[in-house]
Amino acid sequence: MAKYLMLKHYRGAPAAVNDVPMARWTPEEISAHVQYMNDFAARLEKTGEFVDGQALAPEGTWVRYDGEGRPPVTDGPFAETKDLIAGWMVIDVDSYERAVELAGELSAAPGAGGKPIHEWLELRPFLTAPPTITE
């Protein structure tokens, strides 16, 4: 089994086919989208392929170590993750091909007008330990 992270982007990815920002969706369209995501995760839980997933709030802050007792907090100057990442799902699948298949299916979640978004999802494998060489 291999773990993959599927990232949903607010922006930064190529435009979706149904490229209407969620802020312009009706409450019913948002509910349908969330239900699709929940149903997708529930199906993968049954097959043992779902690990975890979360939607992310738009709020966020950059923090770094800047000396004892002085962690700076900023809202920039770089493109911020909160502006880019809308949510994520971790899957544990038998192959890269299965990961691609699931990402493609998730990309079809409904959006404005109930039509599939066909959004681009970022699919990234988890880093694994390199093989150990023994003599």
Side-chain angles (χ1 to χ4, degrees), residues 24-112:
R24 295 187 6 216
W25 295 3
T26 67
E28 294 80 16
E29 291 166 342
I30 292 170
S31 292
H33 180 80
V34 170
Q35 187 64 54
Y36 182 96
M37 301 289 292
N38 290 338
D39 292 346
F40 182 83
R43 188 167 49 83
L44 294 186
E45 283 178 346
K46 289 179 183 173
T47 64
E49 296 172 307
F50 180 81
V51 176
D52 196 11
Q54 297 291 323
L56 299 175
E59 301 83 28
T61 303
W62 285 93
V63 178
R64 73 165 192 206
Y65 181 80
D66 197 31
E68 192 63 37
R70 300 180 320 202
V73 176
T74 183
D75 211 28
F78 308 107
E80 298 186 25
T81 303
K82 70 180 184 184
D83 293 334
L84 302 175
I85 307 298
W88 52 269
M89 183 177 289
V90 177
I91 55 174
D92 195 357
V93 294
D94 288 329
S95 67
Y96 169 76
E97 290 75 20
R98 177 66 174 153
V100 169
E101 176 186 347
L102 292 175
E105 186 178 335
L106 187 58
S107 151

